[in-house]
Amino acid sequence: MKKHFKILLVALLLAACGVVAFLFFTNRTTEEYVQDEAQEAVLVRVQTVVEEPVEQLIELTGNIEAYRTNHIVPTIPGRIDEIRVEVGSRVRRGQLLVRMDRTNLVQAELQLENAERELGRVTELHKTGSATQQQLDQLTSQVDVLRETVRNLRENTELLSPIDGVVTARFFDAMNIFAGAQPILTVMQLSPVRVMINIPEVHFPRVRAGMNVRVRLDTYPDREFVGRVNIVYPTIDLMSRTFRVEVTIPNADLALRPGMFARVELDFGAVNHVVIPDVAVNRQPGTNTRFVFVIENGVAHRREVQLGRLIGSQFEVISGVESGADVVIAGQSRLLDQTPVRAER
């Protein structure tokens, strides 16, 4: 055991003497030797990046909504005599949908008929001087009130559709008593339909009413719909830093239904931006910071980048890298800022 220990001790002494001798004959301090070892050039692969035209597309999501929604409801409680449509029925504007109890309407029509007859009689008497102007004015006012009453009762007795649309809900049956808690029917206009989207405020100057957009739905993966910006809301939300936009989509075949999930793509044209391979982009752990290594004069420089779209296997670079730069695409795991490198292509 002692013999083995002595051999090990001698080997360590000889190794130490070798390092000292190397430093003596090369005229280097120990610190310089360690620094030189740390600064050994790292072999990396690079690619020169250039500007290319990049389509400025943004994709936002929303839900299909009816263009208009109307609840069919009278303003006067009463018995429902007849409901002429079912859920899913397509209706036209002005079509009779519901008829309420007519008792009050019939009474008001009889009162109006009698009042109009009396007004005609008094008008003739007034011409001959047998009736006063006051009598004529009172009867005229009474007839006007009764006509308005009949008109209001008729509107609340025969409920018409205010739009072309589809019946999407029915809450009562015939002979039920309507008390005003909820509508009798709901009618939605489904041609066109609309999508409400929230767009980042940076795009506000470029969005205008009338511009076309592309709309895709998971329900119809093989179809692409063309919509149009209908309304651009004029204010920015302080919390989300976005503004609302209403997009309308033609829907003649009623393929699009309220509640469907939609992806809306806006195209702002092409802009020249640097594009880099996705393998060149690194992410700082625990953050959303993205960076790349750019080689200049044999040294790696860490550059934070702002990225745009991912186009195939390349990222659009908004800022951080200039056209013509040599970007590391392999070997960056061994790099720090200012690391010497040996670059190959």
Side-chain angles (χ1 to χ4, degrees):
M1 186 69 180
K2 290 182 179 181
K3 182 178 179 180
H4 290 167
F5 178 76
K6 289 179 180 180
I7 293 173
L8 179 60
L9 181 60
V10 170
L12 291 173
L13 289 173
L14 290 174
C17 290
V19 172
V20 172
F22 172 79
L23 294 175
F24 176 80
F25 287 110
T26 57
N27 197 26
R28 288 181 168 181
T29 65
T30 304
E31 182 179 354
E32 291 173 338
Y33 177 76
V34 172
Q35 288 178 349
D36 287 346
E37 287 293 307
Q39 294 297 313
E40 182 182 354
V42 176
L43 178 63
V44 295
R45 180 172 300 162
V46 300
Q47 178 176 319
T48 302
V49 297
V50 296
E51 286 187 346
E52 296 179 10
V54 179
E55 288 188 339
Q56 299 303 292
L57 305 176
I58 61 170
E59 185 178 271
L60 302 158
T61 60
N63 297 310
I64 299 293
E65 300 177 12
Y67 187 70
R68 289 180 60 188
T69 300
N70 287 99
H71 300 296
I72 308 303
V73 52
T75 59
I76 303 172
R79 188 184 72 242
I80 302 171
D81 278 355
E82 181 184 11
I83 299 178
R84 293 193 166 192
V85 292
E86 294 290 343
V87 173
S89 298
R90 298 182 69 168
V91 299
R92 306 294 296 178
R93 181 178 181 180
Q95 179 178 336
L96 177 62
L97 304 181
V98 178
R99 178 174 281 122
M100 304 294 291
D101 178 67
R102 293 178 52 86
T103 301
N104 292 334
L105 175 60
V106 170
Q107 291 176 352
E109 288 174 337
L110 288 174
Q111 291 175 357
L112 175 61
E113 182 180 346
N114 292 334
E116 287 177 335
R117 187 181 301 111
E118 180 65 14
L119 177 61
R121 188 182 69 80
V122 171
T123 300
E124 293 299 323
L125 291 175
H126 180 265
K127 290 178 180 179
T128 61
S130 301
T132 66
Q133 183 66 40
Q134 182 180 7
Q135 289 175 314
L136 180 62
D137 292 343
Q138 288 177 344
L139 275 172
T140 300
S141 297
Q142 182 181 351
V143 168
D144 289 342
V145 171
L146 285 172
R147 284 174 178 168
E148 182 62 24
T149 300
V150 169
R151 185 194 65 79
N152 183 57
L153 285 171
R154 187 172 289 122
E155 286 183 353
N156 285 277
T157 300
E158 297 179 348
L159 307 183
L160 311 179
S161 175
I163 58 174
D164 295 340
V166 176
V167 178
T168 59
R170 171 174 169 168
F171 300 98
F172 290 88
D173 292 320
M175 309 313 293
N176 287 166
I177 300 299
F178 173 77
Q182 57 186 347
I184 299 174
L185 301 170
T186 298
V187 177
M188 291 184 176
Q189 181 178 346
L190 301 183
S191 180
V193 291
R194 68 176 187 169
V195 179
M196 303 299 298
I197 55 176
N198 296 312
I199 303 178
E201 66 173 316
V202 68
H203 299 296
F204 187 82
R206 298 192 283 180
V207 179
R208 64 189 184 279
M211 67 183 298
N212 290 333
V213 301
R214 289 189 288 269
V215 182
R216 293 178 292 107
L217 290 89
D218 294 344
T219 308
Y220 304 109
D222 298 327
R223 292 185 64 179
E224 183 178 276
F225 301 85
V226 177
R228 185 173 65 89
V229 174
N230 188 42
I231 299 175
V232 179
Y233 285 68
T235 57
I236 307 297
D237 184 84
L238 294 177
M239 298 298 293
S240 65
R241 310 310 308 178
T242 61
F243 61 99
R244 286 175 67 78
V245 167
E246 178 188 270
V247 172
T248 57
I249 311 166
N251 190 32
D253 61 354
L254 300 186
L256 306 180
R257 297 302 175 102
M260 288 182 175
F261 180 75
R263 293 181 172 86
V264 180
E265 185 179 82
L266 288 83
D267 187 348
F268 297 120
V271 174
N272 285 336
H273 276 160
V274 171
V275 293
I276 60 176
D278 56 359
V279 294
V281 179
N282 307 275
R283 185 173 69 87
Q284 184 173 323
T287 71
N288 287 323
T289 301
R290 300 295 197 275
F291 64 92
V292 299
F293 286 101
V294 175
I295 306 305
E296 295 178 356
N297 300 320
V299 177
H301 298 272
R302 184 181 185 273
R303 300 281 175 81
E304 290 188 6
V305 292
Q306 179 185 354
L307 302 177
R309 297 176 55 214
L310 176 62
I311 310 163
S313 61
Q314 292 187 312
F315 274 110
E316 171 192 16
V317 179
I318 307 300
S319 63
V321 176
E322 297 180 355
S323 180
D326 289 332
V327 175
V328 177
I329 61 173
Q332 59 266 54
S333 61
R334 299 177 57 195
L335 298 181
L336 298 173
D337 191 33
Q338 304 296 322
T339 300
V341 298
R342 289 187 296 112
E344 64 177 27
R345 299 182 185 277

